[in-house]
Amino acid sequence: MNFSKKIVYKNIACLFSCAIFFILTSCEEDLTKKNGNNSKNFPSQIINNANIIQRDSGFVILKAKAAIIEKYELIDSPYTVARKGIDIEFFDKKKPKLPGTIKAKYAKFFDYKQFYEAKGNVRITTNEGQKFAMQSVYWDQRKKRIYTKDTVYVTMEDGSTLVGANGMTAKDDFSEYTFYNNSGDFSSKRLSENKK
């Protein structure tokens, strides 16, 4: 009789320890499921008063200034954002002393896609002196194309103007561009040069 009581106590102790084990592991599973649903969309890096210089083989190709830049790297599609605006100077090896500029109230860069977007009072000045004004612009760095569907206002270096009511597409060096539903005021000298 004494022997059967020991077996019963051992069985009860074993069942009790198994029950505790399963309770603890089920709590752990719930915690991991709960933590897995938490948002990871928060900045991993924040740069205040950013002043960025990008070089290629020692040549400065870009200078950027922004009040704040946030990098989101812990998500599937990492990106960098300048919520309080950005001011960029870009340099061409053909005219290194005359930079082009891009200014916008908001900018975002998608790392893997190499895709940029700028929004809010976007102003682009090329190193040739052409000035573009629009509300948003997109740059596909891989395809080397810039485009927008917004109305684009262009002022050429000679003072002539052009309005692309339904946007434009352009090479990223602005060597050629296409405007949609355009109108403007061109000098006759410029038109005769283009016909040649």
Side-chain angles (χ1 to χ4, degrees), residues 7-178:
I7 292 176
V8 170
Y9 287 130
K10 283 183 182 181
N11 286 342
I12 291 173
C14 181
L15 287 173
F16 185 68
S17 62
C18 287
I20 290 174
F21 172 75
F22 285 116
I23 289 171
L24 291 176
T25 57
S26 65
C27 289
E28 282 181 24
E29 286 176 17
D30 290 342
L31 287 175
T32 56
K33 286 179 186 175
K34 183 179 177 184
N35 289 338
N37 292 333
N38 285 348
S39 174
K40 293 179 180 145
N41 194 11
F42 56 88
S44 56
Q45 294 181 36
I46 299 174
I47 304 168
N48 290 307
N49 299 318
N51 191 2
I52 299 168
I53 297 174
Q54 187 176 4
R55 298 174 191 268
D56 181 15
S57 303
F59 177 75
V60 174
I61 57 172
L62 183 133
K63 290 182 179 178
K65 292 182 180 181
I68 185 167
I69 292 179
E70 300 170 330
K71 291 188 73 126
Y72 292 80
E73 300 172 301
L74 305 175
I75 55 176
D76 292 337
S77 298
Y79 63 92
T80 303
V81 65
R83 295 183 197 284
K84 294 187 177 181
I86 195 158
D87 188 351
I88 299 172
E89 288 184 330
F90 54 93
F91 296 85
D92 186 2
K93 290 182 180 179
K94 295 174 188 173
K95 292 187 175 182
K97 294 187 178 182
L98 282 173
T101 61
I102 300 174
K103 297 180 181 184
K105 291 184 177 180
Y106 172 90
K108 192 173 188 179
F109 170 63
F110 296 92
D111 298 349
Y112 291 137
K113 295 179 186 177
Q114 293 184 338
F115 188 84
Y116 293 81
E117 68 180 45
K119 295 181 179 178
N121 204 22
V122 179
R123 300 290 181 261
I124 301 173
T125 304
T126 68
N127 60 3
E128 298 287 332
Q130 301 160 329
K131 296 179 181 179
F132 296 79
M134 63 209 85
Q135 284 304 306
S136 66
V137 70
Y138 304 92
W139 176 28
D140 189 332
Q141 193 174 13
R142 288 182 181 160
K143 294 180 181 177
K144 297 186 176 187
R145 300 297 295 174
I146 291 175
Y147 63 90
T148 185
K149 292 185 178 180
D150 293 341
T151 300
V152 181
Y153 301 92
V154 184
T155 305
M156 301 299 190
E157 62 278 2
D158 64 358
S160 58
T161 59
L162 175 71
V163 177
N166 294 334
M168 73 166 195
T169 61
K171 281 190 173 179
D172 61 0
D173 63 356
F174 290 96
S175 60
E176 54 182 68
Y177 36 81
T178 304

